[in-house]
């Protein structure tokens, strides 16, 4: 049915027909129309009369609709009063066929907004108060169920909403603490960047109200993400991070005796977590760490929430763990990851029951005014893609802000969707406290200088209401400043230094890795019994289920693999790794754009019934209540999806979490997550992750966009044993590497240059014994060498190039003089293992590093100095064989590619 908002007095015939349907069967009409007709007392009269609706009543209803749809454009949202008064013709009663004489006339249609038989002027006054005040809503494109909910909240519940005297006093106390901390830091740490909350102080009271509401309804965790502005205050006054630690960070103190390397980060990037008592209920509060790429934290927080919900068995209601994100206006509309995160919100593999978004709308982004930073009316219009209502509120009306937070919470809980609040406020100082904002916004900042703080505004209101005395407020502020001064004196007197809070909660029992740990073998074997059980699960399907004929053939082949224990290919070896982990009690989560089937049709972790499309996940039948296997085809995003999976991995280290790119170079779209979180979070924030990245990589003539996962970029990020980067050549290697991720008692990211052609290469297979008795090998020695003294040349390579070199060597009648070593793990670099292998090559003369990638890409610049160091004392000649330096990762012509590839292979044997 057409939405009510698009129908007015000009559609009288249509409305008459709906009305007659309502009289005969109220349930036959749309809920919003039913609400309309039920509110008209005169309908009862007409039902026994002529059956026609007075035209003027419909015109008044047209006006009511206009206020509902466009009233927000006239709302008093700017606390500075600088916003230009918009001409909203839709709100002029004359535009609806009414005139001044009608203002004194009474209309039954007023019943729709709770004013039956009201005069038109009173109806307009009520609508102005409801939709054009300091709290309003933009919900014109929402679906009818949401519209009806908003109408009830705004036209009925708002009128009865009030704060108790005790609550008002608590709000004032919160504002005193908020402003007090900012004033103190401003005078004691002059010029220090803190990205003050001042001007947006109401954010603190909104968060306090959210946590109170949640605790009263059983919320156990609130996961919070925010950018810089107000972060220090939020850490101190909301999460309870000790002020002495914060002041130690401002002083730049560090502990020289710490037994690990911590590069640290600036104050306004830091996170924190704590348990807080909220009216007798314990609630765990956690704030995610966040770099200056402001909105990157959005998917990270939602991923954290998803994992926390899984850990708390909150997978259905998703009410025990609630994610909240605080944004800046310019970033919210300007950064694409916001839209990506919204799109994740209702996808089955990424649902968190809704995220509450609060946008601190400073009405300026650094130095850029809104007219230069967005094309949309509001900074929150990105939410319209999901047909969500947006609650706009004036940041100087703290009670309206509390109500806005409550509306967002209630909407989230009712619809399990994201809720958005546009907190229209201002920024009292520049982008940071050392910046001069009047250079670019002189008019705005002349007003801000004279504008009272929110604490001053609200205290005057409560004084006028007789709830507090002005002397009480002044004494409270003075007392707060004295309390903070005492903390600062203690910090400096007792030489307090910053602390990192890690390895707690779900991380208990794990530890920080030491460099030598990477040389210690890890037991990653799985028993034959477990693997055969998993193999059976992977090769059968339920009765009545009809797999694709080609899949049936593949499963029959895989069944023979597990029965004979030979010829196990990549896809099956990978699935055996997942299944064995699940069998042992380790949850597995893998997501990516085509992860269920696999981009290259190799995985088939999910079967689809050819008759009705029913999905069947074999591995999730093993023991889903103990350790589930979840594979999700994601939306076409790398940035947000990788951020989401990173959030998963840092929250639940006991699970194996994997993100797979459709092609390796698509990870370019997630480079911010890789740079700012994956590779550096442990060094900056002591936040560890065991996330696995599967990035299809290999030069097979598919052109520049589908050849390289940009190995060189990852290797450039490697330092301080921050992550593992690898390129495997056998199914057993991926099997053991994946299991190693969760078998160690520490966590490090694993970046895999995942294969394409090797998925089906006849020689890239493993035996069952490789899984039951083997282990991961950072370097695979040449098994064909019978006499080490015969070796004169060593070729080191990685990935599929090994098989091409091996084939060429066989063509040249392998005489045992050339050994080909496979470097399976680039970082941490296995120098000792390489040295150990080549030690027996007593007559070695030459060593070659061979690669498919151009010389300025791939691993050459990473491995060359390390290899030269290993062989420096041997007097061995070192040579590079591979493509020349290039601007593009690969060429577009398959024939030219084949020629170049052949030249590389032959060049190794010259």
């Amino acid at each position: 049915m057409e939405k009510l908002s698009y129908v007015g007095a000009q559609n009288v015939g249509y409305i008459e027909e709906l009305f007659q349907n309502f009289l005969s069967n109220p349930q036959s009409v749309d809920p919003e129309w039913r609400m309309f007709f039920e509110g008209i007392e005169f309908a009862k009269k007409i039902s026994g009369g002529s059956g026609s609706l007075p035209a003027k009543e419909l015109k008044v209803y047209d006006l009511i609709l206009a206020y509902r749809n466009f009233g927000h454009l006239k709302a008093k949202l700017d606390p500075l009063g600088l916003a230009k008064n918009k001409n909203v013709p839709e709100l002029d009663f004359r535009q609806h066929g009414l005139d001044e004489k009608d203002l004194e006339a009474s209309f039954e249609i007023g019943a729709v907004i709770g004013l039956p038989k009201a005069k038109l002027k009173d109806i307009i006054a009520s609508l102005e108060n409801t939709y054009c005040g300091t709290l309003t809503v933009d919900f014109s494109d929402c679906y009818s169920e949401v519209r009806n909910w908003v109408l009830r909240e705004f036209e009925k519940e708002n009128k009865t909403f009030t704060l108790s005297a005790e609550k008002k006093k608590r709000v004032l106390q919160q504002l005193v603490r908020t402003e007090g901390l900012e004033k103190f830091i401003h005078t004691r740490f002059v010029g220090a960047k803190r990205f003050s909350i001042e001007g947006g102080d109401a954010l603190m009271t909104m968060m306090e109200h959210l946590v109170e509401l949640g605790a009263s309804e059983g919320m156990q965790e609130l996961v919070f993400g925010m950018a810089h502005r107000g972060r220090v205050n939020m850490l101190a006054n909301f999460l309870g991070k000790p002020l002495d630690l914060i002041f130690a960070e401002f002083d730049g103190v560090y502990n020289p005796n710490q037994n690990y390397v911590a590069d640290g980060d600036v104050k306004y990037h830091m996170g924190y977590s704590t348990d807080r008592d909220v009216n007798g209920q314990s609630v765990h509060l956690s704030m995610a760490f966040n770099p200056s790429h402001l909105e990157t934290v959005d998917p990270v927080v939602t991923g954290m929430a998803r994992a926390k919900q899984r850990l708390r068995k909150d997978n259905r209601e998703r009410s025990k763990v609630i994610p909240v994100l605080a944004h800046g206006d310019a970033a919210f509309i300007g950064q694409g990851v916001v839209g990506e995160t919204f799109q994740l919100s209702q996808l089955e593999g990424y649902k968190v029951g809704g995220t509450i978004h609060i946008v601190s709308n400073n009405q300026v982004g650094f130095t850029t005014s809104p007219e230069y930073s967005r094309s949309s009316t509001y900074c929150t219009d990105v939410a319209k893609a999901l047909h969500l209502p947006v609650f706009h509120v004036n940041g100087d009306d703290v009670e309206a802000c509390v109500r806005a937070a409550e509306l967002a919470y209630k909407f989230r809980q009712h619809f399990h969707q994201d809720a958005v609040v546009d907190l229209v406020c201002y920024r009292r100082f520049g982008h940071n406290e050392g910046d001069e904002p009047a250079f670019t916004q002189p008019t705005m900042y002349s007003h801000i200088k004279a504008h009272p703080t929110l604490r001053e505004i609200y205290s005057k209101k409560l004084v006028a209401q007789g709830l507090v005395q002005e002397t009480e407020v002044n004494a409270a502020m003075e007392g707060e400043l004295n309390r903070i001064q005492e903390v600062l004196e203690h910090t400096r007197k007792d030489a307090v230094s910053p602390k990192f809070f890690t390895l707690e909660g779900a991380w208990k029992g794990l530890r920080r890795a030491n460099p030598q740990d990477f040389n210690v073998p890890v037991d990653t074997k799985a028993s034959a019994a477990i693997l055969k059980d998993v193999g059976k699960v992977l090769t059968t399907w339920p009765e009545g289920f009809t797999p694709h004929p080609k899949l049936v053939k593949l499963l029959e082949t895989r069944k023979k693999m597990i029965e004979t224990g030979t010829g196990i290919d990549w896809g099956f070896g990978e699935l055996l790794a997942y299944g064995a982990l699940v069998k042992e009690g380790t949850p597995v989560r893998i997501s990516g754009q085509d992860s269920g089937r696999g981009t290259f049709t190799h995985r088939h972790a999910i079967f689809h019934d050819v008759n009705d499309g029913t999905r069947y996940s074999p591995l999730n039948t093993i023991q889903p209540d103990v350790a589930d296997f979840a594979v999700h085809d994601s939306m076409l995003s790398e940035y947000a999806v990788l951020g989401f999976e990173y959030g998963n991995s840092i929250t639940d280290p006991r699970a194996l979490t994997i993100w797979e790119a459709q092609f390796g170079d698509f990870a370019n779209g997630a480079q911010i997550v890789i740079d700012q979180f994956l590779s550096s979070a442990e060094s900056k924030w002591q936040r560890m992750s065991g996330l696995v990245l599967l990035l299809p990589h290999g030069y097979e003539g598919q052109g520049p966009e589908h050849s390289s996962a940009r190995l060189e970029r990852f290797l450039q990020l490697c330092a301080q044993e921050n992550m593992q980067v690898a390129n495997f050549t056998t199914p057993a290697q991926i099997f053991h590497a994946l299991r190693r991720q969760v078998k160690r008692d520490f966590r490090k990211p694993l970046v895999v240059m995942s294969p394409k052609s090797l998925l089906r290469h006849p020689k890239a297979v493993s035996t069952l014994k490789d899984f039951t008795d083997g282990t991961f090998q950072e370097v695979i020695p040449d098994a064909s060498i019978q006499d080490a003294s015969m070796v004169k040349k060593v070729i080191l390579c990685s990935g599929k190039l090994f098989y091409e070199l091996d084939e060429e060597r066989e063509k040249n009648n392998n005489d045992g003089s050339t050994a080909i070593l496979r470097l399976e793990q680039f970082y941490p670099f296995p120098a000792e293992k390489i040295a150990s292998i080549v030690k027996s090559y007593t007559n070695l003369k030459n060593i070659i590093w061979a690669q498919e990638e151009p010389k300025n890409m791939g691993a050459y610049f990473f491995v060359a100095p390390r290899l030269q160091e290993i062989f420096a004392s041997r007097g061995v000649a070192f040579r590079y064989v591979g493509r020349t330096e290039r601007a593009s990762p690969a060429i577009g012509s398959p024939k030219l590619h084949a020629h170049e590839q052949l030249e590389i292979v032959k060049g190794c044997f010259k």
Side-chain angles (χ1 to χ4, degrees), residues 3-6 32 65-66 68-70 72 137-144 147 150 384 387-390:
K3 286 177 61 176
L4 178 61
S5 57
Y6 299 133
E32 197 168 351
L65 279 182
R68 288 172 172 175
N69 292 334
F70 305 109
H72 59 88
V137 61
D138 181 358
F139 68 128
S140 60
D141 60 348
C142 294
Y143 296 121
S144 59
R147 284 180 59 83
V150 172
K384 288 193 171 186
H387 304 285
L388 300 173
V390 176

Side-chain angles (χ1 to χ4, degrees), residues 4-5 7-9 32 35-36 39-40 56-72 90-93 96 98 107-116 118-120 122-128 130-132 139 147 151 155:
L4 178 61
S5 57
V7 183
E32 197 168 351
M35 182 179 176
F36 168 37
I40 303 177
K56 284 234 172 176
E57 294 281 355
L58 289 176
K59 291 176 180 179
V60 174
Y61 188 67
D62 240 4
L63 179 61
I64 293 173
L65 279 182
Y67 268 95
R68 288 172 172 175
N69 292 334
F70 305 109
H72 59 88
E90 292 86 352
L91 304 184
D92 185 345
F93 62 90
H96 298 271
L98 300 165
F107 292 90
E108 298 282 354
I109 197 66
V112 172
I113 58 171
L115 297 174
K119 292 182 178 181
L120 178 58
D122 295 329
I123 291 173
I124 292 174
S126 177
L127 290 169
E128 287 275 335
T130 300
Y131 293 108
C132 303
F139 68 128
R147 284 180 59 83
L151 290 174
E155 296 178 1

Side-chain angles (χ1 to χ4, degrees), residues 117-371:
K117 299 181 181 179
K119 292 182 178 181
L120 178 58
K121 67 178 183 180
D122 295 329
I123 291 173
I124 292 174
S126 177
L127 290 169
E128 287 275 335
N129 183 62
T130 300
Y131 293 108
C132 303
T134 54
L135 173 62
T136 188
V137 61
D138 181 358
F139 68 128
S140 60
D141 60 348
C142 294
Y143 296 121
S144 59
E145 184 182 3
V146 172
R147 284 180 59 83
N148 289 335
W149 183 90
V150 172
L151 290 174
R152 283 192 298 273
E153 291 293 334
F154 264 76
E155 296 178 1
K156 181 180 179 182
E157 301 300 329
N158 271 9
K159 294 176 182 177
T160 61
F161 175 79
T162 184
L163 300 184
S164 67
E166 185 59 35
K167 174 75 171 181
K168 289 180 179 181
K169 291 179 182 179
R170 288 207 311 275
V171 168
L172 180 58
Q173 289 170 355
Q174 292 159 8
L175 295 176
V176 168
R177 287 199 305 271
T178 301
E179 184 178 323
L181 180 60
E182 298 292 354
K183 284 186 179 296
F184 184 88
I185 296 175
H186 192 67
T187 56
R188 300 304 193 281
F189 297 92
V190 178
K193 290 183 182 181
R194 72 182 189 278
F195 295 93
S196 162
I197 200 174
E198 292 167 281
D201 311 57
L203 175 63
M204 193 70 69
T205 61
M206 296 169 77
M207 289 301 302
E208 291 286 350
H209 194 61
L210 283 175
V211 77
E212 288 175 14
L213 283 172
S216 69
E217 296 187 0
M219 179 184 74
Q220 297 174 358
E221 286 200 54
L222 186 148
V223 192
F224 190 47
M226 69 181 301
H228 303 344
R229 188 148 315 283
R231 190 183 190 91
V232 171
N233 212 307
M234 194 67 67
L235 285 167
N237 288 321
F238 180 66
L239 283 96
K241 182 175 180 178
L243 274 176
D244 56 356
L245 298 182
I246 294 175
F247 289 153
E249 292 168 357
F250 270 98
D251 279 336
V253 178
Y254 74 100
N255 181 2
N257 298 317
Q258 62 189 16
N259 59 359
Y260 58 89
V261 175
D263 294 332
D265 203 350
V266 291
K267 289 102 35 207
Y268 40 85
H269 287 174
M270 305 303 279
Y272 191 72
S273 62
T274 187
D275 291 314
R276 179 171 158 182
D277 183 274
V278 183
N279 298 327
Q281 300 294 321
S282 178
V283 179
H284 186 73
L285 306 177
S286 54
M287 178 189 284
F289 293 78
N290 193 30
S292 287
H293 295 75
L294 305 178
E295 300 297 337
T296 309
V297 78
D298 300 354
V300 174
V301 165
T302 52
M304 291 171 63
R306 174 86 175 200
K308 287 175 179 289
Q309 289 167 351
R310 183 172 66 246
L311 291 170
R312 290 189 180 271
K313 309 297 183 185
D314 188 27
N315 294 339
R316 290 185 177 274
E317 293 298 321
R318 302 195 184 278
S319 59
K320 296 178 183 177
V321 181
I322 296 179
V324 180
L325 289 169
H327 312 264
D329 51 323
F332 192 70
I333 194 64
Q335 297 188 15
V337 71
V338 175
E340 291 187 28
T341 307
F342 269 115
Q343 289 302 324
L344 284 177
S345 66
Q346 292 300 301
L347 302 183
E348 189 57 40
Y350 308 87
K351 285 182 178 179
V352 292
T355 299
I356 296 174
H357 302 263
I358 303 176
V359 182
S360 292
N361 187 349
N362 298 306
Q363 306 183 76
V364 62
F366 199 163
T367 67
T368 307
S369 298
E371 60 265 31

Side-chain angles (χ1 to χ4, degrees), residues 640-651:
V641 175
L642 179 55
F644 190 95
E645 301 310 339
Y646 175 80
N648 253 285
S649 72
I650 62 173
T651 304

Side-chain angles (χ1 to χ4, degrees), residues 291 293 296 300 638-644 646 659 661 663-682 684-685 689 691-695 709-718 722-725 749-753:
H293 295 75
T296 309
V300 174
E638 290 81 35
Y639 192 172
V641 175
L642 179 55
F644 190 95
Y646 175 80
W659 175 69
F663 284 91
D665 60 304
F666 290 3
N668 291 349
Q671 198 68 44
I672 291 172
V673 179
I674 293 166
D675 289 354
Q676 305 300 329
F677 287 90
L678 193 73
S679 66
S680 59
E682 182 174 354
K684 294 187 294 188
W685 311 318
S689 166
L691 182 63
V692 178
L693 272 58
L694 299 180
L695 310 178
R710 292 294 193 173
L711 171 61
E712 64 279 359
R713 293 184 181 173
F714 290 95
L715 294 179
Q716 188 180 37
L717 295 172
C718 290
N722 61 333
M723 59 183 177
Q724 305 153 111
V725 180
L750 171 62
V751 180
V752 181
M753 301 292 108

